[in-house]
Amino acid sequence: AVLTYSSSERGVKVDPEGTVTIAAGFCGKATVTITAKATASYLKTTAQSVITVTAVQKSNKITVSNFTKNTNLNRAQTFKLGASQKGNGVLSYKSSSKKVTVTSAGKVTIAKGFVGKAVITVTSAETPFFKKAASKSTIIVNPAKTSLISVSNSASKKATVKWKISTGAVTGYQIQVATDSTFTKVLKTYKVKSIKKASKIISGLKKKSTYFFRIRTYQTVSKVNYYSEWSASKKIKITK
């Protein structure tokens, strides 16, 4: 009798000789129906063979960067997380902070004026070929910077430093004094805990010496200090 073959799945094909070909990437079950045509001596008859193809799951790996941002006091800021993976599972995202949200497409929005840390967990769903995987992206948002207004030799061996009061919700300021413009030779770092204060007198300086000053803001969130970028520096020669 002449035999014919048909498959229930496109990923599994059977040629007229009964040779089965399984397509690359196919996973699941396929039913192959074998039909013997009727002859003068035999009735038509059929039989079925179920072919099950299972995949060996590989470990998946998600690659995602950490980010450091400066807060924006005027509007929210957005950016793409840019996560990628070795596998092909659907990616989902979850943020640890209500002030830092993330969409199903991986678009991150940082609320206006937010300072602190948020951790976004990226998860790839399990597929027939890859295991479930997860990775984390840490986002640090630092406070807005301020700037120096002036540095003057106000008295003997003293300098008065004045700066612009920050409009953000900062905790205080740090003033750094160095003997070189690159601040590799820092003499001392002063902390100003009052956010309303806009000047400080630095004493103990040497006459005829040149000093460099710079300032930055800091904000304390959950007992952790977050620092802004340093301001442009100003230099002064002590003549008094």
Side-chain angles (χ1 to χ4, degrees):
V2 177
L3 300 178
T4 59
Y5 306 88
S6 63
S7 173
S8 63
E9 301 293 333
R10 292 183 179 180
V12 177
K13 295 182 179 180
V14 188
D15 68 12
E17 302 300 320
T19 301
V20 177
T21 301
I22 300 172
F26 175 80
C27 185
K29 290 184 179 182
T31 301
V32 175
T33 302
I34 307 130
T35 302
K37 293 184 178 180
T39 65
S41 303
Y42 296 96
L43 297 174
K44 176 182 177 180
T45 187
T46 60
Q48 290 184 331
S49 174
V50 177
I51 299 172
T52 302
V53 181
T54 58
V56 177
Q57 283 186 321
K58 297 180 180 179
S59 296
N60 194 1
K61 181 181 179 181
I62 298 173
T63 302
V64 63
S65 300
N66 297 322
F67 297 87
T68 299
K69 300 286 185 178
N70 297 320
T71 190
N72 191 316
L73 300 176
N74 299 314
R75 61 184 180 275
Q77 52 184 316
T78 61
F79 65 95
K80 291 283 287 185
L81 201 60
S84 61
Q85 62 175 322
K86 181 180 177 182
N88 58 355
V90 176
L91 295 178
S92 59
Y93 306 85
K94 185 177 181 181
S95 175
S96 64
S97 172
K98 292 181 180 180
K99 296 292 185 179
V100 180
T101 59
V102 58
T103 68
S104 59
K107 182 180 179 181
V108 179
T109 299
I110 301 172
K112 179 178 72 173
F114 172 76
V115 172
K117 182 176 79 171
V119 177
I120 294 178
T121 303
V122 186
T123 303
S124 177
E126 182 183 20
T127 70
F129 301 99
F130 289 93
K131 297 177 182 178
K132 181 179 179 180
S135 187
K136 296 180 185 295
S137 171
T138 300
I139 299 171
I140 301 294
V141 186
N142 291 318
K145 64 188 295 187
T146 188
S147 59
L148 290 174
I149 296 174
S150 65
V151 179
S152 61
N153 184 195
S154 54
S156 177
K157 299 180 181 181
K158 294 181 181 180
T160 298
V161 183
K162 295 182 179 180
W163 60 88
K164 183 179 179 181
I165 293 178
S166 176
T167 56
V170 300
T171 304
Y173 307 91
Q174 275 192 339
I175 300 169
Q176 207 165 63
V177 185
T179 55
D180 67 312
S181 60
T182 58
F183 286 82
T184 55
K185 298 176 181 178
V186 175
L187 295 179
K188 192 170 181 178
T189 300
Y190 299 86
K191 181 177 285 189
V192 180
K193 295 183 179 181
S194 173
I195 62 173
K196 295 181 179 180
K197 196 170 181 179
S199 66
K200 181 174 178 62
I201 296 174
I202 307 296
S203 59
L205 304 177
K206 294 182 180 180
K207 191 174 181 180
K208 297 182 180 181
S209 295
T210 299
Y211 297 93
F212 296 81
F213 296 80
R214 63 183 181 179
I215 191 170
R216 66 180 179 180
T217 65
Y218 73 93
Q219 186 169 338
T220 305
V221 181
S222 300
K223 299 182 180 181
V224 176
N225 289 335
Y226 296 89
Y227 297 93
S228 74
E229 297 174 346
W230 287 106
S231 69
S233 64
K234 288 186 180 293
K235 74 174 182 177
I236 186 175
K237 185 173 182 178
I238 302 301
T239 60
K240 296 181 183 179

